[in-house]
Each structure stands twice: as structure tokens, then as C-alpha cells.
């Protein structure tokens, strides 16, 4: 899995629209980069945005996001905003996917349930084809990437303070995560077929 683009609207401290394009300089020419800035500048919000779009979960909430959990926590939607949206475009192999998450207040100032969509890009038609909506999106992203939310936050995206989660995972969990990251599971499968 390779993240290509991130779009964020009104998420936590990142009020308004924000675009991150990993295909443009300087990110396109960097093999390693750090997300830095003062407290409250939006570093963790970028990580939340990716996880919300893919899994409807955020590292700082430690659970799936519903209008109820959002109302109780008071987190995610920027102060004064009526909606929040995040979109992640990523490639898996040769396929391009777009996973989007949004939530908004209704006219009675209550939160609607979140909306989520997963699409794939058809290069022949030059258009996005809808694959899944709402509750099916996290499972389909897990199927496509071979990483669920926990594995993703322990291997691809280590949220602030979560680096120790990978280090403290038991031997079997670390082995399984490293196998998925490196693609070594193919050797295990070949070994089973040979026996």
C-alpha cells in the first residue's frame, strides 16, 4: 500500500481545506520525511485523517467513530465548522483507490451518522467506480491492504506515542506484522505447498 494523496476538511485544528500530494515535490523526491510542528498544529490530525478515511477509527479515540462517540468526545470536527471530511487516495499493486469519510451536523445541530465511500479508478473510462459504502468500507480496505486498523497503526502509521506499540507487541504479533510489511508471507505459503 502506498498513500498518494490526502485531503482534509475541518478536522480538529486543520480548519478549512488541506491537500497533501505525495506525487509532487518535495514529498515525491523524499524517501523519508517527518511531520513536525508545535502542539496543536495538526500533526496527529493528519494521522487521524488517514485512519478515518480507511477504517472509520482514529488513534486518539481508540474506537470506531459514531455520532455518539463523537458527541461525547467533542473531538474531530473543527470548532465552528458544521462538517468534517477526509479522503485518502492509495495504490495497492497497480490499482488506485479512493477512500472517503465525512460527518456533518444536521439542521437541528445534531450529528448525522458518518458517510464513507470506497472507489477504484478505472483508467480506461477515466472515472472513479464506487465499490463500497458506509459500514463495508473498513473491511474492504482491510481486505485490499491486508492490514486491519490495529496492524496499520502498528506498522504503516505509528501515531504519536504509539511507536512503543510495535516494540511491545508480542513475538507472534510482531512476526505477523513484519511478514505483511515485507511480503515474506509468500515464502510461508510456498513452504506449505512443498510439504
Amino acid at each position: 500500500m502506498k498513500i498518494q494523496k490526502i485531503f482534509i476538511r475541518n478536522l480538529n485544528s486543520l480548519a478549512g481545506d488541506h491537500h497533501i500530494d505525495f506525487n509532487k515535490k518535495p514529498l515525491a523526491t523524499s524517501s523519508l520525511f517527518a511531520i513536525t510542528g508545535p502542539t496543536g498544529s495538526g500533526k496527529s490530525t493528519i494521522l487521524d485523517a488517514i485512519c478515518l478515511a480507511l477504517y472509520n477509527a482514529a488513534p486518539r479515540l481508540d474506537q470506531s467513530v459514531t455520532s455518539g462517540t463523537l458527541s461525547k468526545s467533542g473531538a474531530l470536527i473543527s470548532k465552528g465548522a458544521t462538517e468534517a471530511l477526509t479522503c485518502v487516495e492509495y495504490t495497492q499493486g497497480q490499482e488506485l483507490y479512493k477512500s472517503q469519510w465525512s460527518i456533518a451536523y444536521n439542521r437541528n445541530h445534531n450529528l448525522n451518522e458518518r458517510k464513507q465511500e470506497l472507489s477504484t479508478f478505472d483508467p480506461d473510462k477515466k472515472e472513479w467506480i464506487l465499490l463500497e459504502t458506509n459500514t463495508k468500507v473498513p473491511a474492504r480496505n482491510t481486505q485490499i491492504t491486508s492490514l486491519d486498523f490495529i496492524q496499520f497503526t502498528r506498522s504503516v502509521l505509528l501515531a504519536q506515542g504509539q511507536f512503543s506499540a510495535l516494540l511491545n507487541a508480542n513475538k507472534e504479533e510482531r512476526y505477523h506484522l513484519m511478514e505483511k510489511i515485507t511480503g515474506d508471507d509468500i515464502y510461508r505459503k510456498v513452504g506449505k505447498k512443498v510439504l
Side-chain angles (χ1 to χ4, degrees):
M1 172 195 196
K2 183 176 180 185
I3 296 174
Q4 303 294 325
K5 295 179 183 178
I6 304 169
F7 173 77
I8 302 168
R9 173 180 290 152
N10 298 327
L11 202 61
N12 292 322
S13 61
L14 297 178
D17 292 353
H18 304 273
H19 302 267
I20 302 171
D21 189 341
F22 292 94
N23 298 308
K24 291 184 178 177
K25 288 184 179 184
L27 297 175
T29 57
S30 301
S31 59
L32 180 66
F33 57 88
I35 302 171
T36 64
T39 300
S41 62
K43 301 179 300 293
S44 294
T45 299
I46 296 169
L47 308 181
D48 287 343
I50 296 167
C51 291
L52 285 167
L54 296 173
Y55 302 107
N56 184 45
R60 74 174 85 207
L61 295 180
D62 290 331
Q63 59 188 322
S64 292
V65 178
T66 65
S67 61
T69 59
L70 219 61
S71 294
K72 288 176 189 170
S73 70
L76 297 183
I77 299 177
S78 299
K79 187 176 180 179
T82 58
E83 66 169 350
L85 182 142
T86 179
C87 181
V88 171
E89 290 182 25
Y90 69 92
T91 51
Q92 180 69 35
Q94 299 300 312
E95 299 294 320
L96 178 62
Y97 297 93
K98 177 170 65 172
S99 194
Q100 183 172 302
W101 176 96
S102 66
I103 197 160
Y105 287 101
N106 61 29
R107 63 182 178 200
N108 298 323
H109 306 290
N110 295 317
L111 278 174
N112 293 323
E113 286 299 323
R114 66 88 161 81
K115 293 181 181 175
Q116 209 168 1
E117 292 182 349
L118 176 64
S119 303
T120 186
F121 188 73
D122 185 328
D124 296 329
K125 295 180 181 177
K126 298 191 186 327
E127 64 183 33
W128 291 99
I129 308 298
L130 184 65
L131 297 174
E132 300 289 357
T133 60
N134 296 327
T135 58
K136 294 182 179 179
V137 172
R140 187 70 179 270
N141 278 319
T142 296
Q143 178 188 14
I144 292 166
T145 65
S146 296
L147 295 170
D148 64 20
F149 173 71
I150 299 296
Q151 293 166 329
F152 185 81
T153 57
R154 287 187 178 173
S155 58
V156 176
L157 177 141
L158 294 175
Q160 193 172 1
Q162 294 297 311
F163 181 65
S164 62
L166 177 63
L167 298 178
N168 292 327
N170 68 40
K171 183 179 178 181
E172 187 63 30
E173 287 175 325
R174 271 197 314 270
Y175 173 80
H176 188 65
L177 287 169
M178 295 308 292
E179 187 178 66
K180 284 191 172 195
I181 292 168
T182 61
D184 286 347
D185 61 322
I186 188 70
Y187 299 113
R188 184 175 41 80
K189 291 174 186 172
V190 168
K192 284 182 179 180
K193 295 233 184 234
V194 169
L195 297 175

